[in-house]
Amino acid sequence: WRVTRDGEIAASNPDAALTELVTIALRAGGLGVDVETTGFPVGHVHYRLKTVQLGDEHVAFVFDVRDPDPNTRAVIAGLLAAAPRLWAHSATADLVPLVHDGYAGESVWDRMYDTVIPAKLADPQSTGADPGLKQLAGAVLGESAVSPQADAARAALFRARRWRTNTDPDTPPERSGWCQVDPADPVMVRYAASDVLDTVALARRLPQVPSAVYDRERAVQRITARVTHRGLRIDGDRVRALLTKYGADRDDALARVRASGVDNPASSRQLAERLTALGVELPRTKPTARHPYGQPSVT
C-alpha cells in the first residue's frame, strides 16, 4: 500500500514501489524504515514479521510480508542495501526482525541513524521528556504529527476487539492485538505508515548532533544490539544441574517452613501472624482509619 501524509491509501505493487522509493531515497538522502510483527520477540514460537514500511516524511509504502513473493523480498532487500542512509526510531526493534528474516545483514547498522539518539541528547524542553516516537512526534512536530492520531485509532480498534496492547511473552496469542489484527485493515495500514512518516520528519527537525558524538553513539548502539540479534549464550548442562540442586533445596526449605506453621511463605499476613506468635517484635505499618495502630510488617 502507498500511504501519504494526509492518510490517503492506494493499492500498489512491488515494482511501482521500487521505482518511487528509489526516487525518494535519492531526493531524501535515505529511507525511513519500520516493521510490524505479531508483538512477540524474535525466537518466540508466535513471532512473525507482518509488514515492512519504507519511505520518507511525505510517502510511505507498507509491504505485507506474511507470505512474501520473491519479488517483494528482493525489492525490500535491495532498497535496504542501496539506501545511502536509513532512519528508524529505536532501531533495534526494526533491524533485528529484518536481519532475522533475511532482508538485511547486520552491516545494515553502518547506515542506520536512529532518531532516538538526538532525541535523548537534546534539551527535553524542546523535545519533551518522553523519547517514545508518538510522544516525541507530538512535542516536536506539533499538529503536523501523524503517528499520535494513528496510534489512537489503533488503540480504539484493539479495545473494540478486546485485544491487549501491552503484552508479554506469556500472553496468549488470541489476546494480543498485534498478533490478531489484520495488517490489511486501513487503520493498521495508516498506523504502520505513520511511524516512517514521522520518523523521517523528526530526522529533519530534531537538533543536530555533532557528527563525532552521533558516530560514537551509533557505534555503541550497534555493539549493544548484538545480544538481541544473537541471544545470550548459556551453558545448558550447568543450568539444568543448578535447577536440580536449588530446586531440591527450595522444596526442602518449603517443607520446613510449612512444618513451622506457615503454609505460604509469600504471604505477609501468614508470616506476620506466625512470627508474632513466636514472640518476634515486628515493626508496624503506618496507621490507617481501618488499622489505627498499623499492622505488623515483615518487609
Side-chain angles (χ1 to χ4, degrees):
W1 301 279
R2 182 184 187 273
V3 186
T4 55
R5 195 165 189 86
D6 61 4
E8 183 179 346
I9 301 172
S12 188
N13 61 70
D15 292 331
L18 174 62
T19 299
E20 187 166 357
L21 285 168
V22 167
T23 301
I24 288 173
L26 292 173
R27 179 186 70 220
L31 291 172
V33 56
D34 182 64
V35 305
E36 301 300 331
T37 71
T38 52
F40 294 99
V42 167
H44 193 283
V45 65
H46 298 304
Y47 161 80
R48 192 178 184 187
L49 183 62
K50 298 176 79 171
T51 63
V52 176
Q53 295 80 248
L54 298 169
D56 66 358
E57 69 266 43
H58 304 295
V59 177
F61 284 86
V62 181
F63 297 86
D64 187 337
V65 297
R66 288 172 294 176
D67 295 299
D69 60 68
N71 191 31
T72 298
R73 177 175 289 275
V75 165
I76 296 171
L79 288 164
L80 290 173
R85 181 174 289 211
L86 297 169
W87 295 284
H89 197 81
S90 297
T92 303
D94 303 302
L95 295 194
V96 169
L98 289 169
V99 171
H100 176 271
D101 284 57
Y103 289 94
E106 285 188 44
S107 62
V108 72
W109 282 103
D110 293 341
R111 290 169 291 114
M112 171 54 65
Y113 289 78
D114 192 333
T115 49
V116 84
I117 293 175
K120 286 191 172 185
L121 293 175
D123 178 1
Q125 291 193 2
S126 66
T127 61
D130 191 334
L133 176 61
K134 279 67 175 180
Q135 295 79 4
L136 180 67
V140 176
L141 303 177
E143 293 183 357
S144 66
V146 294
S147 58
Q149 297 92 327
D151 187 47
R154 188 274 317 155
L157 174 64
F158 281 22
R159 285 195 300 271
R161 304 291 175 83
R162 298 188 176 182
W163 293 329
R164 292 181 185 174
T165 293
N166 298 320
T167 60
D168 55 52
D170 295 327
T171 299
E174 61 272 14
R175 299 295 306 280
S176 167
W178 307 107
C179 192
Q180 293 299 319
V181 72
D182 183 355
D185 188 305
V187 170
M188 288 306 296
V189 173
R190 291 190 182 94
Y191 173 83
S194 72
D195 278 7
V196 165
L197 295 167
D198 274 359
T199 293
V200 181
L202 284 170
R204 308 281 191 221
R205 291 279 301 277
L206 285 169
Q208 294 298 304
V209 177
S211 58
V213 175
Y214 210 157
D215 289 344
R216 178 195 67 201
E217 296 295 326
R218 292 175 59 238
V220 172
Q221 184 182 42
R222 181 173 181 180
I223 292 168
T224 57
R226 288 175 185 160
V227 69
T228 315
H229 281 290
R230 305 176 194 179
L232 185 67
R233 182 177 294 177
I234 62 171
D235 183 339
D237 292 338
R238 177 66 173 158
V239 169
R240 281 185 287 273
L242 290 171
L243 286 173
T244 299
K245 177 184 185 303
Y246 290 113
D249 290 348
R250 176 202 58 205
D251 294 342
D252 177 64
L254 180 59
R256 287 186 285 115
V257 169
R258 284 179 171 167
S260 75
V262 176
D263 182 65
N264 178 13
S267 168
S268 296
R269 180 185 59 80
Q270 290 184 28
L271 283 174
E273 289 176 354
R274 183 59 182 144
L275 290 170
T276 299
L278 290 170
V280 178
E281 292 188 9
L282 295 172
R284 304 188 75 83
T285 61
K286 291 181 178 181
T288 64
R290 185 175 180 182
H291 302 284
Y293 300 103
Q295 296 207 86
S297 172
V298 296
T299 302

